[in-house]
Amino acid sequence: MDSQLALLQDEVREAIARIAHAESLELFRVTYLGKKGKLTLQMQRLKDLAPEERRAFGADVNRLKNEVQQAFDAKTAEISRPNASRDSVDHTLPGLRPPVGRLHPITQTIREISAIFGRLGFESVTGPEIETEFHNFTALNIPPDHASRDDVDTFYTESGHLLRTQTSTVQVRVMKSRKPPLRVIAPGRVYRPDTVDASHSFMFHQIEGLMVDGETTFAELKGTLYLFLKEFFGPKTKVRFRPHFFPFTEPSVEVDISWGSRGWLEILGAGSVNPRVFDAAGYDSKRVQGFAFGLGVERIAMLRHGIDDIRHFYENDLRFLEQF
Ligand code: DAH
C-alpha cells in the first residue's frame, strides 16, 4: 500500500474509535469525508499517478473509503440510539413543562361579552368580512354621496367589493335570511384606512347587537345595555346615554361609562332601528320595531385590563399574551 495512504488508514481508524458524541462525529466527517477531507484529497491524487500505479492505489483508496464510511455510519447509529445502559439520562430530574396555549385576550373578551348576551337570549352569528356596498352602506341608510363611502375611506377590491367598515352589515344579512323576532349579536373584524397608532388600527373587532320584535322600545335597549355594562364592568358602573347620530338608527345614542378619574368614556353606539333599514332588509317596518348597538372589542378589552396600546393585541408577543 502507498505509504501516505497507510498512514491515513491508521489515523482514521484511531479517530473513529475515539468518537463519543455527535459533535465529534461531525468533526470527523468534515475532516475525512468532506469535500476537502483527507480521504477525498487522497482520491484526487489518483489522476497524478503513473498508469501502472493507478490500479492498485485506486483499489486501496476505495476500500479504505468504504471501510471508513461503514464505520462512520455505524457510529452515527450508535450515538443517536437512546441507550438505557449509558447513564446519560437522569430519571430523577423533573420533566420539561410543555408550554400551554391560551385564548387571545380579544377572543376571551368576545366570548365573555357573548356569554352575557347569551344569557339575555342573544344568539351569536357571523357575516363575511368582504362585503358588498349594499350591506355595508346602502341598506344601512348610508347614501351614495356619504363621505364614508369615499374610495379613500375604506378598502375596495377590484370587483367592487369592500372590506366591511362595521359589523352592522350583519344586521341586514340576518334579517334577509330570517323572520322576526330576532335577538342576535355578531362579533367580527372590521377594516378602516386608519393610520396605526396607540389607539388606532386598520383592522379591529366589533360586536354588533340586534333585537327585532313586534314591539321593541328604547327602554328595552337601555335596560339591555345597563345589564350588560354592569355585568361586564361591575355593578357600580355608572352609565350615561348621549344623543348622537347614526344613519341606521333613529333615535341614536352614544353610551358612556364612568371611569374613575378619567370621567366619562364612550363605550358604544346604539339606537332604535331606522325603519329604512327594515325596508331594505325586507321586513315590514310597520309591523316590527327593534334596537341595535355596536361596540369596539379592543377598546373594551383595553379599558378592562389597563392596556395602553392597541398594537399589543396584534404583535403576538408572548410576554403580553401570557398575562391573560
Ligand atoms: N356601526 C357603528 C360604527 O362602526 C357602531 C354602531 C352604532 C352600531 C350604532 C349600531 C348602532 O348598531 O346602532 O361606528
Side-chain angles (χ1 to χ4, degrees):
M1 186 191 257
D2 171 85
S3 63
Q4 265 192 45
L5 196 60
L7 276 176
L8 181 59
Q9 176 171 289
D10 292 341
E11 180 187 331
V12 79
R13 282 175 177 167
E14 223 177 280
I16 204 148
R18 275 199 310 267
I19 295 176
H21 46 78
E23 288 85 349
S24 38
L25 201 62
E26 176 59 9
L27 185 66
F28 176 91
R29 192 191 62 74
V30 174
T31 311
Y32 296 101
L33 298 167
K35 261 207 189 108
K36 296 204 172 111
K38 291 184 179 178
L39 262 166
T40 317
L41 293 179
Q42 287 296 319
M43 306 279 279
Q44 284 166 2
R45 283 178 59 209
L46 208 57
K47 61 181 188 311
D48 302 316
L49 293 177
E52 57 285 4
E53 291 176 280
R54 226 178 254 173
R55 205 187 152 92
F57 181 84
D60 283 340
V61 83
N62 261 325
R63 189 194 37 71
L64 182 59
K65 183 154 191 248
N66 288 338
E67 177 195 320
V68 170
Q69 187 66 54
Q70 269 172 27
F72 177 80
D73 291 346
K75 251 319 185 216
T76 309
E78 182 190 318
I79 283 173
S80 60
R81 195 184 316 130
N83 189 340
S85 71
R86 251 192 290 158
D87 47 7
S88 56
V89 177
D90 182 347
H91 297 275
T92 65
L93 285 173
L96 293 178
R97 190 181 292 276
V100 177
R102 65 192 75 201
L103 293 174
H104 191 279
I106 292 297
T107 309
Q108 288 183 32
T109 308
I110 289 175
R111 293 208 182 168
E112 215 178 308
I113 295 173
S114 305
I116 296 172
F117 280 107
R119 293 200 289 278
L120 295 171
F122 285 76
E123 175 195 348
S124 188
V125 297
T126 56
E129 292 169 26
I130 300 174
E131 261 296 3
T132 59
E133 284 192 41
F134 177 77
H135 291 105
N136 199 82
F137 294 128
T138 315
L140 293 168
N141 191 34
I142 301 172
D145 57 358
H146 194 278
S148 68
R149 287 199 181 211
D150 272 3
D151 275 4
V152 292
D153 221 54
T154 187
F155 300 96
Y156 286 81
T157 69
E158 280 169 9
S159 62
H161 288 73
L162 49 84
L163 292 179
R164 67 179 177 192
T165 62
Q166 50 188 357
T167 45
S168 307
T169 52
V170 187
Q171 289 188 30
V172 184
R173 287 191 170 268
V174 171
M175 287 193 275
K176 283 206 307 190
S177 63
R178 297 193 197 178
K179 288 200 172 77
L182 278 182
R183 255 187 252 183
V184 294
I185 55 164
R189 296 190 180 93
V190 300
Y191 300 84
R192 307 233 174 129
D194 285 346
T195 303
V196 176
D197 64 20
S199 52
H200 294 85
S201 167
F202 52 85
M203 184 284 300
F204 58 97
H205 297 73
Q206 287 188 329
I207 296 182
E208 192 77 13
L210 174 69
M211 169 157 177
V212 182
D213 208 331
E215 188 180 296
T216 313
T217 68
F218 203 89
E220 284 166 309
L221 166 63
K222 289 181 81 172
T224 304
L225 293 178
Y226 270 126
L227 265 171
F228 160 65
L229 292 169
K230 283 173 189 283
E231 185 77 18
F232 190 82
F233 287 107
K236 293 210 183 96
T237 308
K238 288 206 200 80
V239 181
R240 177 172 87 171
F241 289 75
R242 242 180 327 102
H244 197 75
F245 171 78
F246 293 105
F248 29 88
T249 42
E250 175 64 30
S252 304
V253 286
E254 274 188 342
V255 183
D256 304 336
I257 59 169
S258 58
W259 201 256
S261 59
R262 288 171 69 182
W264 293 105
L265 286 183
E266 182 223 320
I267 209 86
L268 53 84
S272 295
V273 177
N274 191 317
R276 292 192 188 179
V277 177
F278 285 137
D279 292 338
Y283 276 15
D284 183 348
S285 57
K286 295 207 174 53
R287 287 166 171 263
V288 292
Q289 287 183 322
F291 65 75
F293 55 89
L295 54 87
V297 179
E298 276 79 350
R299 186 176 162 76
I300 284 192
M302 286 168 82
L303 278 175
R304 178 76 175 277
H305 300 293
I307 297 164
D308 58 4
D309 195 319
I310 196 172
R311 290 168 288 200
H312 288 312
F313 289 123
Y314 318 121
E315 283 165 355
N316 288 333
D317 186 332
L318 286 179
R319 289 170 301 179
F320 171 76
L321 296 174
E322 282 175 348
Q323 295 178 48
F324 303 95

